[in-house]
């Protein structure tokens, strides 16, 4: 018997605003002037916070943290598609989205300064704390979505972020499988920033696209220009609407780039070229979106100057709040090494506190 094809698949690519600012008006989402300016502010605030915290880390005032520079369009565009009833299940490279959901920057700083208390966000509705375990949050998202479906919540859905490195984790594939079987109202958004720490995308997976990984689980899979905030918003909004209509989960691959280091303990010069970085800086999502706003008559140099002053003040205030925090024990980490006190850790605690005392005396 001759072989007969039983199914055919394809992966589509979405771009609304290209690198040179050319707009496809047929695909342009209908957003108000205020919405567009809010979205631009969110991207600029995330960038300013990233740059300020990087300087503080180099000064010894911040712990190691992941940088989001270059990926603001992916995170902010997707988050803007959410309503207050939707769930936000992030990873760790999504600062812009967290700020948009109402997470105080000072709490974000506190967490990355080594205080788990920074991850306690009682005032935030339906927003999970940062998940550093690669890919684990995708399972949490599916569990939440299944519970929503069980409770007949039809006016909300779940959005979860991951990097392309997470798509090589078992948790990711289990999440997509369960989401598909249960037809759970969840949207998976992969920030494909080309590097799983120091492993390039082509060595991490041989798939021609990340989006095609959705095919195995019978999910709609779409590739989108992750540096085009309009395209990311449009794709995410349509996927969320689909989920709320009872049509199941979706998977979006956002093509973007991590312009700086993986974390502040990383040196990207050891594994990628300056030319590659320069090529991607030309695709920076923030200047692209600014040109779009200027072309619509919504932005000018005066607007930019006012925004930069305002967001610097916002970041300064968060830094002041962070550095005014003194209610935590400096030796708290020693409390959690073992379930009970241990002579060796108690000796280390005493040495640590004595060093602090000497530093204070010498100051």
């Amino acid at each position: 018997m001759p072989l007969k094809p039983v199914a055919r698949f394809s992966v589509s690519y979405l771009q609304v605003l290209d690198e040179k600012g050319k707009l496809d008006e047929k695909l342009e989402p209908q957003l108000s002037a205020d919405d567009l300016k809010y979205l631009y502010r969110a991207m600029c605030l995330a960038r300013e916070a990233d740059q300020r915290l990087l300087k503080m880390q180099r000064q010894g005032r911040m712990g190691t943290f992941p940088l989001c520079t270059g990926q603001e369009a992916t995170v902010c565009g997707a988050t803007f598609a959410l309503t207050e009833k939707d769930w936000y299940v992030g990873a760790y490279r999504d600062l812009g989205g967290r700020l948009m959901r109402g997470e105080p920057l000072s709490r974000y700083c506190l967490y990355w300064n080594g205080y788990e208390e920074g991850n306690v966000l009682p005032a935030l509705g339906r927003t999970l704390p940062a998940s550093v375990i690669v890919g684990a949050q995708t399972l949490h998202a599916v569990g939440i979505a299944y519970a929503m479906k069980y409770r007949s919540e039809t006016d909300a859905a779940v959005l979860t972020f991951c990097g392309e490195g997470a798509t090589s984790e078992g948790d990711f594939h289990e999440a997509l499988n369960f989401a598909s079987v249960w037809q759970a109202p969840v949207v998976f958004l992969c920030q494909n920033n080309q590097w799983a720490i120091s492993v390039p995308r082509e060595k991490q997976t041989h798939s021609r696209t990340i989006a095609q990984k959705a095919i195995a689980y019978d999910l709609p899979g779409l590739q989108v220009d992750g540096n085009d905030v309009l395209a990311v918003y449009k794709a995410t909004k349509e996927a969320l609407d689909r989920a709320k209509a009872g049509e199941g989960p979706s998977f979006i691959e956002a093509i973007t780039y991590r312009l700086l280091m993986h974390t502040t303990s990383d040196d990207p010069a050891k594994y990628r070229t300056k030319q590659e970085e320069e090529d991607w800086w030309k695709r920076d999502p923030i200047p692209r979106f600014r040109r779009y706003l200027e072309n619509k008559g919504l932005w000018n140099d005066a607007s930019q100057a006012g925004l930069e002053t305002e967001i610097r003040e916002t970041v300064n205030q968060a830094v002041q709040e962070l550095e005014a925090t003194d209610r935590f024990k400096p030796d708290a980490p020693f409390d959690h090494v073992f379930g009970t006190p241990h002579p060796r850790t108690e000796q280390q605690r005493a040495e640590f506190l004595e060093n602090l005392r000497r530093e204070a005396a010498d100051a």
Side-chain angles (χ1 to χ4, degrees):
M1 297 291 289
L3 295 176
K4 295 185 293 184
V6 294
R8 297 185 187 278
F9 305 99
S10 65
V11 174
S12 297
Y13 177 78
L14 175 65
Q15 184 183 62
V16 178
L17 187 68
D18 72 11
E19 294 87 345
K20 296 180 180 179
K22 183 180 179 181
L23 174 69
D24 187 330
E25 295 182 359
K26 293 181 180 179
L27 296 175
E28 183 181 16
Q30 299 304 304
L31 295 173
S32 70
D34 287 344
D35 285 343
L36 292 171
K37 288 187 280 189
Y38 169 80
L39 192 49
Y40 181 67
R41 179 192 181 278
M43 295 169 64
C44 291
L45 176 59
R47 177 71 60 91
E48 176 66 23
D50 228 25
Q51 300 305 306
R52 178 65 183 276
L53 299 185
L54 176 59
K55 293 174 183 176
M56 290 175 61
Q57 194 277 333
R58 296 311 194 219
Q59 296 167 348
R61 298 161 63 194
M62 268 290 295
T64 294
F65 73 97
L67 292 103
C68 309
T69 295
Q71 299 181 217
E72 295 90 352
T74 294
V75 176
C76 295
T79 303
F80 190 65
L82 295 172
T83 70
E84 291 184 357
K85 292 184 178 180
D86 295 325
W87 282 85
Y88 181 103
V89 182
Y92 52 82
R93 200 180 307 281
D94 53 355
L95 171 58
R98 293 191 170 280
L99 296 178
M100 291 173 74
R101 292 292 281 185
E103 179 173 332
L105 179 57
S106 58
R107 303 295 292 183
Y108 176 89
C109 296
L110 192 65
Y111 174 71
W112 290 108
N113 236 354
Y115 295 97
E116 187 64 36
E117 291 85 351
N119 238 347
V120 179
L121 306 167
L124 266 64
R126 300 197 165 193
T127 300
L128 264 59
S131 175
V132 178
I133 303 172
V134 176
Q137 71 281 0
T138 57
L139 287 170
H140 304 158
V142 176
I144 293 170
Y146 179 75
M148 292 167 62
K149 184 173 183 179
Y150 182 81
R151 295 176 177 178
S152 299
E153 290 189 34
T154 58
D155 59 348
V158 183
L159 172 66
T160 183
F161 292 97
C162 68
E164 82 280 4
T167 68
S168 291
E169 296 284 343
D171 285 358
F172 169 83
H173 292 274
E174 292 166 9
L176 263 64
N177 187 56
F178 276 115
S180 181
V181 170
W182 290 335
Q183 286 293 282
V186 56
V187 176
F188 301 91
L189 195 149
C190 173
Q191 298 189 70
N192 179 2
N193 66 16
Q194 315 305 315
W195 289 92
I197 307 182
S198 59
V199 179
R201 179 241 183 276
E202 63 269 17
K203 289 187 177 180
Q204 183 245 318
T205 177
H206 196 59
S207 300
R208 282 179 289 172
T209 68
I210 301 294
Q212 72 194 61
K213 295 180 184 293
I215 294 172
Y217 305 102
D218 199 27
L219 272 66
L222 175 68
Q223 190 180 82
V224 63
D225 182 348
N227 284 2
D228 173 5
V229 69
L230 299 178
V232 175
Y233 166 77
K234 180 179 177 66
T236 309
K237 179 68 164 57
E238 291 175 356
L240 288 167
D241 288 346
R242 182 178 177 275
K244 295 172 188 178
E247 298 176 16
S250 302
F251 180 75
I252 300 169
E253 173 194 5
I255 304 295
T256 184
Y257 193 78
R258 169 172 52 81
L259 290 172
L260 298 176
M261 57 286 293
H262 173 73
T263 71
T264 50
S265 63
D266 167 49
D267 180 7
K270 294 183 180 297
Y271 55 80
R272 67 188 193 189
T273 67
K274 284 292 182 184
Q275 185 60 54
E276 177 182 314
E277 293 179 359
E278 290 172 4
D279 289 343
W280 277 96
W281 272 106
K282 295 174 184 176
R283 307 179 201 178
D284 189 337
I286 293 180
R288 184 192 307 193
F289 193 44
R290 177 180 173 178
R291 286 194 295 271
Y292 166 79
L293 295 178
E294 289 172 342
N295 290 337
K296 291 179 76 71
L298 300 176
W299 207 253
N300 53 39
D301 290 344
S303 305
Q304 186 67 27
L307 175 64
E308 290 175 2
T309 298
E310 185 253 315
I311 61 177
R312 276 197 297 268
E313 291 175 354
T314 298
V315 174
N316 285 340
Q317 182 178 353
V319 171
Q320 291 171 8
E321 291 175 7
L322 166 71
E323 297 190 329
T325 302
D326 59 1
R327 64 182 181 277
F328 301 116
K329 292 172 52 181
D331 58 330
F334 294 95
D335 294 338
H336 307 290
V337 178
F338 299 107
T340 57
H342 188 277
R344 178 58 179 154
T345 54
E346 290 307 307
Q347 177 186 351
Q348 292 172 341
R349 184 203 300 268
E351 292 172 356
F352 171 75
L353 291 173
E354 177 60 20
N355 285 336
L356 288 183
R357 187 192 65 77
R358 290 178 179 177
E359 290 177 1
D362 293 341

